Amino acid sequence: MNTTTPIFSKTDSLKFFRTLNSRVNNYFKENNLDRTGNWKLHLKTFVMFSIFLTPYFILLAMQMPIWAYLLLNVVIGIGMAGVGMNVMHDGNHGAYSSKSWVNKIMGGSIYILAGNVYNWQVQHNVLHHTYTNILGHDEDLEAGRIMRFTKEAKWYKFHKFQHYYSVFLYGLLTFNWAITTDFLQMKRYLKRNLSYGEFKKPVIRWTTLIITKIIYFSIWIVIPIVLGVTWWKVVLGFLVMHYTAGVILSVVFQLAHVVEETENPIPDENGEIENTWAIHQLFTTANFAPKNWLVNYYTGGLNHQVEHHLFPNISHVHYDKIADIVKQTAKECELPYYEFKTTRAAIASHFKHLRELGRQPQLV
């Protein structure tokens, strides 16, 4: 990874973000609203945790045929992704509640989703939200050699088929969190002295990681076996759960950043990015299905990715309301506002983009 930190332009001749920020602040003030979550988010938290955990307890309490067992693990995976997008995500952005301890609890739900708070906050809050779509800095673009997400990434012949095999790899996302990714990330981030908020001693980070991994595997592997579920069914169900959640989470991210319209800006010879941070977000991010109630509800507003990247500390329950403000301000400043009307259109754009990246050799 390139460790030379990109520098964003500080000159906003359009005064885009100053105007936008003022308008959004006025929206909350005029409507007497908090920027954090409300009763809708609290109710949704109950719904998502119910989808996630209810099938788990049913599996522990009842004997059932293998098809029913695996089907319930699919439901657990759907709930797992739902908790991640709606509860954990807002919590770790400090947007779930105005009370920091509530945000820590909700953000800590990542421990039963296979992840780690420290790693997620560094990768997502620091690297992804700051250096969005910049190869070598935004780790969400990193997939080893197997996938090519930008024109600047090295091209291999097997990339010609990546639009076919990508979906199989996407399902490994959360499984890799549980097994290897967290350990590799923690080693890398601590070596670079990266942190989000308070910097704790490495021994505390490693101890937390090991203890939470033990708890995690105890919940999903050890307890079911101890209570009488056949070991191979437990392992198979574990894989099905993770594959389901991994596909959902990966695709939601890809539709927001790895599509035909979005860009991958390259720092110049001085390490500078052409635009300011806020305008950079408009060029590198896209919305999808903004008027689809179900998509908006289930993805935790991550289909309003433009609004999320501009205002990550505002809860997703407000994104559909401030979207018109963002769109209008971007239009006035003659800036892009990428948006797919449907999820189907965004998916088509993503896989078409993967196909084109697979055809083209590395740029010189």
Side-chain angles (χ1 to χ4, degrees):
M1 172 177 286
N2 183 0
T3 57
T4 303
T5 304
I7 302 171
F8 291 97
S9 170
K10 292 182 172 58
T11 304
D12 183 359
S13 58
L14 304 173
K15 295 183 173 55
F16 164 70
F17 195 58
R18 183 184 302 177
T19 302
L20 176 61
N21 202 40
S22 175
R23 291 175 177 177
V24 170
N25 286 337
N26 286 338
Y27 164 78
F28 284 101
K29 184 177 180 179
E30 291 170 0
N31 291 279
N32 194 27
L33 296 172
D34 291 328
R35 298 162 73 94
T36 52
N38 52 28
W39 68 269
K40 294 180 181 179
L41 180 53
H42 304 156
L43 178 59
K44 189 192 289 193
T45 299
F46 174 78
V47 171
M48 293 301 167
F49 269 106
S50 296
I51 298 172
F52 180 40
L53 296 178
T54 301
Y56 171 75
F57 292 113
I58 293 176
L59 294 177
L60 296 182
M62 298 174 58
Q63 294 291 330
M64 60 187 68
I66 185 64
W67 67 266
Y69 183 86
L70 295 181
L71 181 60
L72 283 181
N73 275 282
V74 170
V75 176
I76 293 174
I78 293 171
M80 179 182 176
V83 171
M85 293 185 290
N86 290 275
V87 182
M88 181 277 290
H89 188 257
D90 268 26
N92 279 319
H93 272 295
Y96 188 97
S97 171
S98 58
K99 297 178 175 62
S100 60
W101 65 270
V102 175
N103 287 320
K104 286 183 179 181
I105 291 175
M106 296 306 169
S109 63
I110 194 174
Y111 291 123
I112 60 173
L113 305 178
N116 176 269
V117 169
Y118 166 71
N119 289 335
W120 192 90
Q121 288 182 335
V122 171
Q123 179 186 348
H124 187 79
N125 292 8
V126 177
L127 300 178
H128 174 61
H129 271 271
T130 305
Y131 309 113
T132 311
N133 271 26
I134 301 177
L135 184 64
H137 298 276
D138 182 356
E139 288 194 359
D140 286 348
L141 294 177
E142 303 293 333
R145 297 180 178 181
I146 197 68
M147 295 293 299
R148 185 174 188 245
F149 289 138
T150 74
K151 294 179 180 179
E152 290 68 41
K154 189 173 182 179
W155 180 82
Y156 294 92
K157 290 184 178 180
F158 54 77
H159 287 147
K160 294 178 181 179
F161 308 102
Q162 67 175 5
H163 55 296
Y164 294 117
Y165 64 70
S166 56
V167 70
F168 298 103
L169 299 178
Y170 289 168
L172 301 177
L173 174 67
T174 59
F175 180 77
N176 287 338
W177 282 0
I179 304 299
T180 60
T181 302
D182 274 332
F183 295 94
L184 297 175
Q185 282 185 331
M186 184 162 289
K187 180 180 179 181
R188 185 165 65 248
Y189 296 158
L190 290 175
K191 183 177 181 180
R192 296 175 59 190
N193 291 321
L194 295 176
S195 185
Y196 180 76
E198 179 185 2
F199 187 87
K200 296 182 180 179
K201 294 180 179 179
V203 66
I204 296 177
R205 298 295 189 192
W206 282 113
T207 301
T208 301
L209 177 61
I210 293 172
I211 291 175
T212 53
K213 289 299 182 184
I214 292 174
I215 294 173
Y216 177 77
F217 284 105
S218 295
I219 292 172
W220 298 105
I221 301 293
V222 177
I223 291 178
I225 293 176
V226 170
L227 293 181
V229 182
T230 308
W231 71 268
W232 64 266
K233 287 178 65 175
V234 173
V235 173
L236 184 58
F238 183 79
L239 294 174
V240 168
M241 172 188 75
H242 272 291
Y243 192 83
T244 303
V247 167
I248 293 170
L249 293 172
S250 294
V251 169
V252 168
F253 165 77
Q254 305 294 14
L255 301 190
H257 298 289
V258 187
V259 289
E260 295 168 287
E261 284 76 3
T262 54
E263 299 181 10
N264 298 98
I266 304 174
D268 64 18
E269 62 275 9
N270 297 317
E272 296 182 359
I273 298 294
E274 178 182 359
N275 295 307
T276 62
W277 171 84
I279 294 177
H280 174 85
Q281 303 307 314
L282 294 177
F283 280 96
T284 58
T285 310
N287 289 352
F288 63 94
K291 301 301 182 182
N292 187 312
W293 179 87
L294 182 59
V295 171
N296 189 56
Y297 184 86
Y298 177 65
T299 64
L302 293 182
N303 58 324
H304 283 284
Q305 194 77 191
V306 173
E307 286 69 39
H308 172 59
H309 268 257
L310 290 170
F311 299 99
N313 295 324
I314 292 179
S315 174
H316 74 267
V317 296
H318 303 293
Y319 291 161
D320 61 333
K321 300 299 183 182
I322 67 173
D324 289 339
I325 301 174
V326 177
K327 182 185 294 188
Q328 180 61 33
T329 307
K331 182 179 180 180
E332 291 174 5
C333 295
E334 298 183 348
L335 292 170
Y337 184 91
Y338 299 133
E339 182 176 78
F340 296 96
K341 299 302 181 184
T342 65
T343 304
R344 181 184 301 178
I347 291 175
S349 178
H350 170 62
F351 285 101
K352 183 178 179 181
H353 189 48
L354 287 185
R355 184 178 62 187
E356 291 303 316
L357 289 172
R359 288 174 174 173
Q360 299 175 11
Q362 183 180 11
L363 297 181
V364 179

